[in-house]
Amino acid sequence: MTDQEKKSLEHLELRSEEVEEILSNPPSWMTRWGITVIFFVILLVIGASCIVSYPDIITSKIMVTTEIPVEKIEAKSNGRIVKFLIEDQQQVTHGQILAVIENTANFAHVLKLKSIIDTLHADYDNFKFPIIKTEYLSLGELEQDYALFEKSYSDYVLNKNLRPYAIESLSGKQTLSELNSRVRVLEVQRDLEKREIEVRKKDFERSRILYDKGVISKVEYENKELEFLQARRNYENTKINMSQIQESKNNTQKGIQGSRITKIQNETKFLKDVISSYKQLKRSIKQWEQNYLLVASIDGKVSFQKFWGENQFVSAGDDVLTILPSQSSLVGKIITTAINTGKIEPDQNVLIKLENYPYQEFGMVEGKVISMSLSPDSDGNYYIEVDIPQNLETTYGKNLAFNREMRGTAGIVTEDLKIIERVFYQFRNIFKYN
């Protein structure tokens, strides 16, 4: 080892002894203040853990919509959109026609027929229809059902107005009246002939006594007998005539009754046919409306689902329009799996982050759990309904504009715990259940 290396080693050992002396004897103020700072830091952490909340949250997807669901109007058949009867963002009412899809019927003519049927009071005891107003309508695929109704109605009206069985019934009644008159005449004649028989019989008996005594001749006696027999024959003929007339009366009455029955049967048949064809026509019009008309079933504001225009082709099942209800409260609908759903109860807070509005900028919407389904569906999911502020006020004090159906993420606060509680959570459960 050289002299230079020995000097360096001695200098290093000297420096190390100085450092060791300093470290082994730290200043008392440093020890005192260091312990104080650490103590206050520990107190600060414990205090913050007792104040700051760290809630237990179940996260799931949510859809914010109206209590009356937003109506989505889809096309029921393929074809071009012939005409839009509304504009985007227009207020519409229940039953209003929004658009027409191409079909073989004249749209205005079908609506005219429908308006007549809708305003018609169907009195099935005295059915009336203004057929003259609908004779020249172009109804396309409804023509067959309309033609059937028109024929049934014409048959019904002709049978009602011409009354084909009225003349037959009247003729039968007149015949019956004449027969009754003849019967009355024959009854009088029969009574007279019966009296004549009695008289002829007495005369014949007197003649027989005289003949036996020889007072009168045999010729005179036989003439008296012949007169008596003639009277009896006349009486029997009258009875036969009365019997024949009675049979004619019975046949006439049967004819009148048969005519009455046939009349009722025909009237019932024609009325039944016209009512049946009328109902079938109404059903066909209803089916035509469902196939080719887009109609609002609620009051609200209409919106186009896509950039639709007239003469544009649509396929069955395409969503063409949506209607946002005019007056309906907002609700949130959550579909979640069964995990942790046992913690969910009514009135629990729900923190909602909407996809339309970034929560970092607009804040979150606070809602409350209203109810949860008692049992899961076939996929094991539960349905939760959430009460939503009607003005969609956020935690930043901003009011959001509701637009149709808004999707987002919901956090259901099942238990609002402090940090200190979470640290000692297991210990708390031990004390709680023992």
Side-chain angles (χ1 to χ4, degrees), residues 170-180 248-249 252:
L170 179 62
S171 176
K173 290 179 180 179
Q174 290 176 346
T175 301
L176 188 62
S177 177
E178 292 175 359
L179 290 174
N180 287 329
S248 297
K249 282 179 58 179
T252 303

Side-chain angles (χ1 to χ4, degrees), residues 186 189-190 193 197 229-244:
L186 289 174
Q189 182 177 339
R190 181 196 60 189
E193 289 175 348
I197 290 174
L229 295 176
Q230 183 68 35
R232 289 188 60 181
R233 183 172 61 246
N234 292 338
Y235 177 76
E236 294 298 330
N237 288 337
T238 302
K239 289 177 63 177
I240 292 173
N241 289 337
M242 290 181 64
S243 177
Q244 291 175 344

Side-chain angles (χ1 to χ4, degrees), residues 29 60 120 132 236 259 262 274 282 306 379 411 421 428:
W29 64 270
S60 186
L120 181 67
I132 193 171
E236 294 298 330
S259 177
T262 305
V274 74
K282 290 181 67 175
K306 298 179 182 178
D379 297 326
E421 288 180 307
R428 188 189 70 170

